[in-house]
Amino acid sequence: MPAASSHLPETRRSRLIAIGLICGAMLFFALLDASAKWLSAHMDPLQTVFVRYAGSMVLVLVLLNPWSRPGVLRTKRPVLQGVRSLLLLGSTVLNFIAIKYLQLAETVSIMFAGPLLVALVAGPLLGEWPGPRRMAAIAVGFLGVLVITRPGFGGMHPAAILSVFGCICYSFYVLATRQLAAHDPPETTMVYSGVAGTLVMLPVIPFVWSMPQTPLAWAILLGTGLLGGFGHWLLILAHRLAPATVLAPFIYSQIVWMIVLGWFVFGQFPDGWTFAGATIVISSGLYLLYRERVRKLPETAARID
């Protein structure tokens, strides 16, 4: 008992640090999206995608390279690594194009449907079939996406469709990441993401590149790589200190940053439909997390006993 008691403060401290790291990562990702939206008025979004991945690749290889981390490039599932990297790249491309026309809060609200889609397709792909309560939460969550996009009612720019497809790509990327976690360390996966994204986008650059005209444009463009790289690095550090079930609810803090940045940088504030839909989607996602913790609780209690 004394040993267990002394261990509790350390565990709580680690979890608090992890929560701070995950919230910091969400801030970096919100700043990345805001930067991409600002840059879309000055250059092709594909140019921003390339610099985001190239800058991130340089940063990651400085921190994680074969000399400082021997074996970091060694993967047991090279095909899955490639597919996962392409899914992440596809999600980024679709998001950066959509964000040119949509508000920041609108795109992130649609992306928050990702956990719902992951829970839905994890059944046939991973054998993790959702029960009736989780299925109901998934259905309600997708209803929230319809409230945000309002298809057929002219309430949102058609670019919302790109956000929906970006969410689909991101969901399958999450599933691929979960499968890779059993074979490769997260550092290896992070390196492959940056390298693959850069190499795939490289042939596109000659057709879309335009020279930034101001020092501010250069700074924001180069900053996208740092924001993306540091954001993913903070995610890795956070998940080393606390389980995903503890950290997952704090991912939704990103919408706060997106609303604030959208308001102060672009003078855009979400309408009532976006707030209502986002509330539905986030509530459904949180309920799924709750059901996941309830489902695992008996197993945890058994291990403690």
Side-chain angles (χ1 to χ4, degrees), residues 255-278:
I255 195 169
V256 177
W257 302 121
M258 296 290 253
I259 291 173
V260 171
L261 289 169
W263 189 11
F264 281 99
V265 179
F266 304 103
Q268 298 174 336
F269 197 77
D271 59 17
W273 291 103
T274 302
F275 271 117

Side-chain angles (χ1 to χ4, degrees), residues 112-136:
F112 279 161
L116 307 175
L117 186 57
V118 169
L120 184 64
V121 300
L125 291 182
L126 302 180
E128 301 174 3
W129 296 96
R133 294 180 181 178
R134 300 180 75 200
M135 283 298 296

Side-chain angles (χ1 to χ4, degrees), residues 60-120:
V60 169
L61 289 178
V62 169
L63 298 173
L64 307 170
N65 55 70
W67 296 274
S68 63
R69 297 288 183 91
V72 72
L73 297 178
R74 193 177 302 119
T75 174
K76 298 178 181 177
R77 300 290 299 274
V79 175
L80 188 58
Q81 281 284 7
V83 171
R84 175 196 172 276
S85 298
L86 291 177
L87 287 169
L88 179 59
L89 175 62
S91 176
T92 304
V93 169
L94 292 168
N95 182 51
F96 278 19
I97 296 175
I99 216 168
K100 178 177 181 178
Y101 306 99
L102 303 178
Q103 293 186 16
L104 295 174
E106 291 171 341
T107 57
V108 75
S109 297
I110 295 172
M111 290 298 292
F112 279 161
L116 307 175
L117 186 57
V118 169
L120 184 64

Side-chain angles (χ1 to χ4, degrees), residues 83-219:
V83 171
R84 175 196 172 276
S85 298
L86 291 177
L87 287 169
L88 179 59
L89 175 62
S91 176
T92 304
V93 169
L94 292 168
N95 182 51
F96 278 19
I97 296 175
I99 216 168
K100 178 177 181 178
Y101 306 99
L102 303 178
Q103 293 186 16
L104 295 174
E106 291 171 341
T107 57
V108 75
S109 297
I110 295 172
M111 290 298 292
F112 279 161
L116 307 175
L117 186 57
V118 169
L120 184 64
V121 300
L125 291 182
L126 302 180
E128 301 174 3
W129 296 96
R133 294 180 181 178
R134 300 180 75 200
M135 283 298 296
I138 292 169
V140 172
F142 286 136
L143 177 62
V145 175
L146 293 178
V147 171
I148 298 169
T149 57
R150 304 187 295 286
F153 292 92
M156 186 174 287
H157 194 282
I161 298 174
L162 298 178
S163 282
V164 172
F165 280 109
C167 177
I168 294 172
C169 286
Y170 190 80
S171 300
F172 282 98
Y173 150 81
V174 170
L175 289 171
T177 302
R178 286 171 57 177
Q179 289 183 293
L180 276 170
H183 304 279
D184 294 341
E187 292 83 358
T188 298
T189 301
M190 189 175 178
V191 169
Y192 274 90
S193 297
V195 172
T198 303
L199 293 179
V200 171
M201 292 302 300
L202 190 59
V204 180
I205 285 304
F207 300 98
V208 299
W209 181 266
S210 61
M211 195 66 66
Q213 298 300 309
T214 64
L216 178 61
W218 270 113

Side-chain angles (χ1 to χ4, degrees), residues 233-247:
W233 182 245
L234 290 179
L235 282 181
I236 291 177
L237 295 178
H239 283 87
R240 284 177 177 173
L241 296 173
T245 52
V246 172
L247 299 176

Side-chain angles (χ1 to χ4, degrees), residues 285-297:
L286 291 174
Y287 180 76
L288 282 178
L289 291 170
Y290 165 74
R291 291 303 308 171
E292 183 70 16
R293 296 183 73 173
V294 168
R295 185 174 65 86
K296 291 183 176 180
L297 188 58

